[in-house]
Amino acid sequence: MQAMLRVDLHQHLWTAPLIEALAARRHLPLVRVERDVPILHLAGERPYAIELAGEAPGRRAALLDHDGVEQAVIALSSPLGIEALEREEAEPLLAAYEAGVRDLREGFRWWGAVALNPPAAEEVDGVLERGAVGVSLPAGALASVEGVACMAPVLARLEQREAPLLVHPGPSPWSPPPREARLGDPLWWPALTGYVAELQASWLAFVAVGRRAHPRLRVVFAALAGGAPLLAERLTSRGGPSLDADPLTFYESSSHGEAALIALAGIVGAEQLLYGSDRPVAEPSVRPREGPLGRDALAERSAGLIESRVPLEAAR
């Protein structure tokens, strides 16, 4: 029997075109080179040093085998806030991101990214026709009922094209400004506070109104949606909707291990859990063990998510 393809749905890659585009900017987000080290500056977070040697495509390709997968899907890091910029600022940076990922060697694919000020359905068609597996959106764009309504053109086009959506932490044009970073904050502080809050709010908004409006949309929440499904009983007790079985909503595993996977599987079912690592931000945390919550099973289900898409002509 032929082995099934195993896919990591959630990686990032600092490519030369994107770093160069950020280095040319005068306003956040931007990169400044200090002693030959690119330093990333963005709103709400402490400066971050980009390790160029570890970002070399050859080095990252070698890690696929180490991680036990055959493919990784690269996403724009939405906490940068690129999608939320004014369109004339966002478009050159999005083009630089795409230029860096479109021609990567075998073993890599990529999530499309689109400007949100304002959202435009035709941009979904563009990135899909250029080879993206789907579209990644910042969770802040979907973190309210109004946000889901604002994103309706993009969500509807993804639904028509049967292309998946990845919901990743990050702001939108209508998100509140981030809390100012403080030198005393641990480096992990945003990932355990703002990121989690954005993911939980986007999941709650999607459960409340998004799924009803987009019944055929396949959506993947990064990092287990910040654990939001574990709030299902509290949601119901406060008058919210009950959490019905939803075969088209998925949760990728990045930054979580066995305890979180077991807990979430008890709420949404093991078949809804997929594999993501969040490299290079985090090391893979799911162990290569047997069973529906092991790395291989999660990564094989991830492969199934990205294989089908309706051509533009058929969608019309």
Side-chain angles (χ1 to χ4, degrees):
M1 180 183 296
Q2 184 178 4
M4 292 187 65
L5 183 69
R6 294 165 298 183
V7 172
D8 180 345
L9 283 177
H10 180 185
Q11 291 197 13
H12 304 289
L13 185 66
W14 286 103
T15 64
L18 182 56
I19 292 175
E20 291 168 4
L22 288 166
R25 288 178 54 80
R26 295 185 177 181
H27 305 287
L28 299 178
L30 56 81
V31 162
R32 290 293 176 263
V33 179
E34 301 176 14
R35 298 181 182 178
D36 296 326
V37 177
I39 307 296
L40 174 67
H41 300 263
L42 63 154
E45 301 199 22
R46 290 174 56 185
Y48 171 80
I50 299 172
E51 184 189 355
L52 290 179
E55 292 297 280
R59 163 68 175 158
R60 292 290 295 277
L63 287 174
L64 296 178
D65 185 62
H66 177 273
D67 293 348
V69 297
E70 288 78 43
Q71 286 187 359
V73 190
I74 303 297
L76 178 67
S77 183
S78 288
L80 291 172
I82 290 173
E83 300 100 320
L85 295 171
E86 295 291 336
R87 182 167 289 275
E88 60 268 23
E89 288 189 82
E91 287 179 344
L93 296 173
L94 293 172
Y97 157 72
E98 191 171 314
V101 297
R102 279 180 61 184
D103 297 325
L104 288 173
R105 66 181 64 188
E106 184 178 356
F108 291 101
R109 300 177 74 178
W110 54 286
W111 291 98
V114 298
L116 301 181
N117 203 1
E122 57 268 24
E123 292 190 20
V124 173
D125 295 326
V127 296
L128 293 180
E129 295 308 309
R130 292 192 294 273
V133 303
V135 169
S136 173
L137 290 177
L142 302 168
S144 65
V145 171
E146 293 81 3
V148 173
C150 187
M151 292 304 302
V154 169
L155 301 182
R157 187 57 56 86
L158 284 168
E159 188 176 22
Q160 291 167 357
R161 299 291 303 271
E162 296 185 4
L165 165 67
L166 174 68
V167 182
H168 188 285
S172 74
W174 45 89
S175 297
R179 166 187 175 273
E180 186 176 349
R182 300 168 185 170
L183 290 177
D185 289 345
L187 287 174
W188 47 260
W189 190 260
L192 272 295
T193 55
Y195 291 12
V196 171
E198 288 170 342
L199 286 168
Q200 290 187 343
S202 64
W203 181 86
L204 288 165
F206 192 77
V207 167
V209 298
R211 175 52 77 204
R212 185 170 63 251
H214 304 283
R216 302 186 311 279
L217 177 64
R218 291 179 296 156
V219 55
V220 184
F221 287 90
L224 301 184
L230 299 177
L231 301 174
E233 292 172 331
R234 179 173 173 81
L235 173 64
T236 303
S237 74
R238 294 303 179 99
S242 59
L243 187 60
D244 298 324
D246 184 350
L248 298 182
T249 297
F250 301 89
Y251 307 85
E252 64 89 0
S253 61
S254 60
S255 302
H256 290 84
E258 187 170 318
L261 291 170
I262 290 172
L264 206 70
I267 302 295
V268 303
E271 291 301 311
Q272 303 315 114
L273 304 185
L274 307 178
Y275 181 69
S277 69
D278 204 10
R279 277 196 182 277
V281 180
E283 290 287 317
S285 52
V286 178
R287 295 189 297 175
R289 63 181 180 84
E290 297 291 332
L293 300 182
R295 180 199 62 201
D296 288 355
L298 296 177
E300 288 170 3
R301 290 198 291 272
S302 296
L305 177 87
I306 62 175
E307 287 310 312
S308 64
R309 190 171 74 222
V310 171
L312 176 59
E313 294 76 13
R316 289 174 174 166

